[in-house]
């Protein structure tokens, strides 16, 4: 993609691509880091780096992948740094602020995020992209750079693991009642059918 040279044109071109994907991208960041302040930091850092390197983007269709790649790299780097500096974070140790004002809902969301954190990276990302950010399977496939069946498999396996972690027997029975992952996915694909819906 040929990028405009002057700053105003660059900013307009960047915003034209970013604004339509802001909401799902923000949901992705929130689900990956669990804390609203951390999610805002991740969004800000990602957008800043994406804008700084916007001239390197060759095709506007790849913008979403560009954002997710930067966000994922930032998260990996933060994780690596945490290994050297310790895992204690005083901000996380303090009481979490309630988001909804409903203590029961906030507890459920916290438990879900804690369970998501225990999933393998690819399963967690597929579930966050598909269920929380609301991307279509084809978009998740493009972002993850794998086959459609691999995305479906990651979602099904991730949901099974989440159901076990959250002791959700109803969802587990629903998923395990079908012999193949493809059939399991077809059974759970409408987001409103299962209790693990985000």
């Amino acid at each position: 993609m040929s990028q405009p040279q002057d700053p105003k044109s660059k900013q307009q071109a960047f915003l034209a691509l970013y604004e339509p994907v802001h909401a799902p991208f923000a949901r992705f960041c929130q689900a990956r880091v669990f804390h609203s302040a951390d999610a805002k930091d991740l969004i800000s850092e990602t957008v800043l780096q994406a804008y700084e390197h916007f001239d390197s983007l060759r095709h506007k269709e790849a913008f979403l992948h560009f954002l997710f790649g930067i966000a994922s790299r930032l998260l990996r780097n933060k994780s690596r740094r945490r290994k050297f500096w310790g895992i204690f974070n005083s901000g996380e140790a303090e009481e979490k602020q309630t988001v909804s004002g409903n203590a029961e809902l906030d507890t459920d969301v916290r438990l879900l995020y804690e369970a998501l954190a225990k999933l393998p990276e690819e399963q967690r990302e597929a579930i966050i992209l598909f269920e929380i950010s609301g991307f279509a399977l084809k978009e998740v496939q493009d972002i993850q750079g794998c086959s459609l069946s691999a995305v479906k498999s990651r979602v099904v396996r991730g949901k099974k693991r989440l159901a076990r972690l959250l002791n959700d027997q109803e969802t587990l029975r629903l998923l395990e009642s079908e012999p193949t992952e493809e059939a399991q996915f077809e059974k759970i694909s409408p987001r409103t059918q299962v209790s693990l819906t985000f």
Side-chain angles (χ1 to χ4, degrees):
M1 172 170 137
S2 173
Q3 299 295 334
Q5 295 301 315
D6 69 280
K8 187 171 176 130
S9 295
K10 177 181 177 180
Q11 182 179 12
Q12 289 172 341
F14 182 84
L15 289 174
L17 293 176
Y18 180 72
E19 287 175 353
V21 299
H22 171 72
F25 178 66
R27 286 192 300 271
F28 171 82
C29 291
Q30 178 66 44
R32 289 301 307 269
V33 296
F34 315 135
H35 302 95
S36 125
D38 291 341
K40 287 177 184 175
D41 288 346
L42 179 60
I43 292 168
S44 297
E45 289 178 49
T46 302
V47 169
L48 177 62
Q49 285 195 19
Y51 184 74
E52 288 173 350
H53 300 288
F54 189 55
D55 295 333
S56 68
L57 182 67
R58 296 185 190 276
H59 305 286
K60 66 180 181 179
E61 298 81 21
F63 184 73
L64 191 59
H65 303 213
F66 184 60
L67 280 179
F68 281 104
I70 292 170
S72 296
R73 188 172 52 255
L74 287 169
L75 287 169
R76 277 193 306 274
N77 290 343
K78 184 177 181 179
S79 177
R80 276 191 218 115
R81 283 193 302 270
R82 204 179 278 161
K83 288 178 186 175
F84 291 107
W85 294 103
I87 60 171
F88 180 75
N89 181 326
S90 61
E92 291 177 13
E94 294 174 11
E95 192 65 36
K96 295 180 186 175
Q97 293 181 336
T98 60
V99 176
S100 69
N102 178 335
E104 189 175 319
L105 177 61
D106 291 336
T107 300
D108 289 346
V109 169
R110 182 181 51 78
L111 291 172
L112 175 62
Y113 284 165
E114 288 172 359
L116 275 169
K118 295 176 182 176
L119 296 180
E121 178 70 25
E122 291 173 337
Q123 288 177 7
R124 178 174 56 239
E125 186 176 76
I127 288 177
I128 290 171
L129 290 169
F130 181 68
E131 295 291 350
I132 297 176
S133 295
F135 287 104
L137 287 173
K138 176 70 173 125
E139 293 172 310
V140 177
Q141 175 189 0
D142 292 343
I143 291 166
Q144 290 198 315
C146 62
S147 69
L148 192 59
S149 62
V151 171
K152 289 180 180 181
S153 177
R154 289 170 183 173
V155 170
V156 168
R157 290 178 185 181
K159 282 196 173 206
K160 279 184 184 178
R161 196 171 222 166
L162 278 176
R164 286 186 191 100
L165 289 168
L166 297 170
N167 199 24
D168 183 350
Q169 297 304 315
E170 181 182 338
T171 299
L172 207 49
R173 275 193 300 277
L174 176 71
L175 292 172
E176 292 180 343
S177 67
E178 294 294 337
T180 66
E181 285 182 349
E182 185 70 28
Q184 291 167 0
F185 183 83
E186 295 307 319
K187 189 171 239 184
I188 65 165
S189 63
R191 292 181 175 91
T192 57
Q193 283 187 351
V194 293
S195 60
L196 288 177
T197 300
F198 305 93

